[in-house]
């Protein structure tokens, strides 16, 4: 959020943030997927895995859409050349 509010954030810093975010995701996603069989009975496992995947896909669509729509008022206030 802080980088987004800066006028011209350093590109190297954006790459560092993206690197750490991808690294955390690469650990987080398998950990969550491996915990499902321990939490759900075996007969409901296929449905639970499908629901987990549905959650992930919905979040990857709804999250950026919400972020873009919520940051639009800030873009109008910033009066950047690309928005005029």
């Amino acid at each position: 959020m802080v980088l987004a509010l800066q006028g011209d954030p350093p590109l190297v810093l954006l790459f560092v943030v993206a690197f750490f975010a991808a690294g955390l995701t690469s650990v987080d996603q398998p950990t969550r997927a491996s915990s499902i069989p321990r939490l759900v009975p075996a007969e409901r496992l296929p449905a639970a895995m499908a629901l987990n995947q549905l959650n992930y896909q919905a979040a990857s669509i709804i999250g950026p859409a919400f972020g873009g729509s919520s940051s639009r008022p800030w873009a109008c206030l910033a009066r950047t050349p690309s928005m005029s």
Side-chain angles (χ1 to χ4, degrees):
M1 178 74 175
V2 174
L3 289 177
L5 294 177
Q6 289 182 352
D8 189 18
L11 188 59
V12 174
L13 192 55
L14 291 175
F15 280 127
V16 168
V17 170
F19 174 78
F20 280 114
L24 290 174
T25 301
S26 69
V27 173
D28 179 58
Q29 190 64 24
T31 305
R32 287 178 188 263
S34 67
S35 67
I36 292 176
R38 295 178 184 196
L39 299 172
V40 178
E43 64 272 2
R44 292 190 176 181
L45 188 59
M49 295 297 279
L51 186 59
N52 184 41
Q53 188 63 24
L54 179 71
N55 257 351
Y56 179 75
Q57 294 296 327
S60 67
I61 293 171
I62 295 170
F66 178 74
S69 64
S70 66
S71 67
R72 180 64 181 149
W74 292 105
C76 292
L77 293 175
R79 299 194 189 278
T80 58
S82 62
M83 293 293 178
S84 57

